[in-house]
Amino acid sequence: MPAEQLAQRFVAWVRAAAPYIHAFRGKTFVLGFGGEVAAGQLAQALAYDCNLLAALGVRLVLVHGARPQIEAELARRGLQPRYHKGLRVTDAAALECVKAAMAVTRIEVEAQLSQGLPNTPMAGSFMRVTGGNFVTAKPVGVVDGIDYGFTGSVRKVIAEEIAADLDQQNVVLMSPLGVSPAGEIFNMSMEAVAEAVAIALKAEKLIYLCDAPGLLDPKGALIEAITADDAEAMLKAGEGLTEDLDLYLPCAIRAVRQGVGRAHLIDRDKDGGLLLEFFTPQGVGTVLTRDPLFRLREATIEDVGALGSVIAPMEADGTLVRRSRERLEEEIERFTVVEYDGVLVGCAALYPFIDERAAEMACVAVVPQHRRAGLGEMLLHRIESRSRALGVERLFVLTTRTADWFRERGFREAPPEALPRQKREMYDVSRRSKVFMKTL
């Protein structure tokens, strides 16, 4: 690829990432990852990306696991691992292995976060990494006749102390170990600690790096966004769940239902997965939300700039008639817009001709990366609803390139003479737009 084209793509990417940088500054992200990530080939790359997030003003809490390291330590001592319902049974001997493995893993992660060598993404930086007894634990106890021993669950998160560290621009690194008020040490699951911390901090995002690209539909395609209710239905059906997803998905569902803004499931083997998920419109993993991620609403004057950006490519290729910024400002109340995670990604306008009980649906546009998400249908339904509320009986469109789309949705081709008189007088013969009408 020519250098000039590469430069243009780089500039375009930085500009496209700017809204996300502004949106995430000062927000709290809780990132949970297993021992496979901590010991994997991409561990240092993950440290680079965490450093970049912190440099961009993200308040970052990292919760690491150490399951494979614990297994190795058990094997070294000739001990057998024991699990029940996906949770480790921790007797006194296993607890010693847990403490040893956790300590080594934490030190290694902290070392990776502390690098600042020249010619690396962390050159010239100094990431202050802190930790402490921020989580108190309680024993899981006996379940189904199985005594979990020193396996624990979260009793309390000292959120104000974590927040105080984050206020000092520190990155908080936490191990899934907790101490009870009696001074006993308990082994906890990484995913449960990350969930509890995210809820306590009212985090913007809870992120799990897992052994899958995210949630997949029955055809094996990535589900980019899903609500907690739909994710719970998938969990109950038990379809397409890997070992990690079976553990992490329940935590993600509970977190978004208890106030965490978003939960993300990202492939742990995807280099740069965090950056691609958070700084590109399409992302690379699955995002869980309490409510649907796409939101329809009526446009306001503050949307004019974003609206212009959405329709500009379709104006440039002749699909849409050009509209000046002044015209958009004058007609902004006619527009319905659709947002994806707070970013405007589609629009449509309604121009009523009340005397003839007709209305035009115009300026229908959806950004390319979301054209398979059914946003056109959502906009059409909203425009039809607005039209009926005005007493409109006929909805029409003028199109040069999307005739099939409207035909498939109940519109029928009509001659220009069927247009309302005022619109007929404005009809641009040179564009040769086809007229389609639908009876409401």
Side-chain angles (χ1 to χ4, degrees):
M1 184 179 294
E4 180 63 25
Q5 190 174 352
L6 282 171
Q8 290 175 351
R9 288 182 60 178
F10 172 76
V11 170
W13 179 85
V14 172
R15 288 171 177 165
Y20 302 104
I21 294 172
H22 299 318
F24 297 151
R25 184 178 294 115
K27 299 299 175 59
T28 300
F29 288 15
V30 177
L31 172 62
F33 55 93
E36 299 87 352
V37 176
Q41 294 182 347
L42 296 178
Q44 190 58 65
L46 176 63
Y48 293 156
D49 295 347
C50 290
N51 180 275
L52 179 57
L53 288 174
L56 293 174
V58 173
R59 296 157 58 91
L60 201 56
V61 179
L62 309 178
V63 184
H64 74 84
R67 179 171 290 195
Q69 291 86 343
I70 295 171
E71 302 291 286
E73 185 65 20
L74 286 167
R76 191 181 70 82
R77 302 188 188 195
L79 302 173
Q80 291 295 320
R82 295 174 57 207
Y83 291 92
H84 182 63
K85 293 185 175 181
L87 196 59
R88 185 184 300 278
V89 176
T90 312
D91 58 19
L95 181 61
E96 294 305 310
C97 297
V98 168
K99 290 191 291 184
M102 287 289 186
V104 171
T105 303
R106 179 189 171 86
I107 289 295
E108 290 177 345
V109 171
E110 191 169 314
Q112 289 164 342
L113 293 170
S114 302
Q115 292 187 32
L117 292 174
N119 301 317
T120 73
M122 295 174 69
S125 70
F126 177 69
M127 180 186 289
R128 294 188 300 273
V129 180
T130 65
N133 56 339
F134 298 135
V135 177
T136 58
K138 60 183 178 182
V140 170
V142 179
V143 179
D144 299 331
I146 304 296
D147 185 352
Y148 277 91
F150 293 97
T151 298
S153 59
V154 177
R155 179 193 298 266
K156 183 181 180 181
V157 176
I158 316 299
E160 57 273 18
E161 295 298 330
I162 300 176
D165 265 16
L166 296 174
D167 289 342
Q168 297 298 316
Q169 299 182 341
N170 297 325
V171 171
V172 176
L173 176 61
M174 302 181 65
S175 302
L177 288 174
V179 180
S180 73
E184 292 182 303
I185 299 173
F186 288 97
N187 173 37
M188 298 180 290
S189 71
M190 173 276 294
E191 58 271 16
V193 172
E195 172 201 345
V197 170
I199 293 171
L201 292 174
K202 298 180 174 59
E204 177 73 13
K205 295 184 182 295
L206 168 62
I207 308 132
Y208 289 115
L209 301 183
C210 57
D211 60 355
L215 293 176
L216 305 179
D217 66 17
K219 296 181 179 180
L222 178 67
I223 299 173
E224 295 181 359
I226 191 170
T227 64
D229 290 346
D230 290 342
E232 185 172 46
M234 286 189 67
L235 185 65
K236 289 180 178 178
E239 297 176 354
L241 297 181
T242 63
E243 180 181 6
D244 282 356
L245 291 176
D246 194 44
L247 296 172
Y248 301 167
L249 188 56
C251 298
I253 292 169
R254 288 192 295 267
V256 297
R257 284 176 171 169
Q258 295 186 61
V260 174
R262 303 280 188 270
H264 298 258
L265 302 169
I266 302 174
D267 190 347
R268 69 191 183 200
D269 295 323
K270 183 75 171 179
D271 189 11
L274 290 179
L275 305 184
L276 292 168
E277 177 72 358
F278 299 130
F279 299 110
T280 63
Q282 64 273 20
V284 293
T286 297
V287 56
L288 278 80
T289 59
R290 187 183 62 181
D291 302 312
L293 202 55
F294 289 108
R295 184 170 76 96
L296 277 174
R297 62 174 176 80
E298 307 316 315
T300 67
I301 194 65
E302 287 79 14
D303 295 316
V304 170
L307 192 60
S309 297
V310 169
I311 66 177
M314 299 181 71
E315 291 176 336
D317 68 15
T319 303
L320 297 178
V321 176
R322 290 188 180 274
R323 287 169 168 79
S324 66
R325 184 181 179 92
E326 291 74 18
R327 183 181 174 187
L328 286 176
E329 291 177 355
E330 292 172 358
E331 299 180 350
I332 193 65
E333 293 182 357
R334 299 186 183 277
F335 281 84
T336 294
V337 297
V338 59
E339 293 179 326
Y340 178 80
D341 202 12
V343 178
L344 198 152
V345 296
C347 64
L350 177 66
Y351 294 86
F353 300 85
I354 299 300
D355 292 345
E356 301 186 50
R357 294 185 178 278
E360 179 185 9
M361 181 180 180
C363 201
V364 182
V366 175
V367 297
Q369 56 266 34
H370 292 298
R371 286 179 184 165
R372 296 180 180 271
L375 303 190
E377 294 271 9
M378 294 170 61
L379 289 164
L380 174 59
H381 292 160
R382 175 63 69 90
I383 293 296
E384 289 179 349
S385 177
R386 290 179 61 187
S387 298
R388 291 189 182 96
L390 294 172
V392 168
E393 297 176 354
R394 295 181 302 149
L395 184 65
F396 68 89
V397 297
L398 275 66
T399 181
T400 58
R401 302 191 183 185
T402 55
D404 287 348
W405 191 90
F406 287 104
R407 188 180 287 113
E408 291 166 3
R409 285 153 182 81
F411 286 79
R412 296 291 178 264
E413 190 168 359
E417 291 74 24
L419 293 170
R421 179 184 57 81
Q422 184 181 356
K423 185 66 180 180
R424 192 165 59 246
E425 293 173 352
M426 299 166 55
Y427 181 77
D428 185 353
V429 178
S430 65
R431 279 182 60 82
R432 301 183 64 184
S433 299
K434 292 186 176 181
V435 179
F436 283 83
M437 286 198 174
K438 181 178 183 179
T439 301
L440 299 181

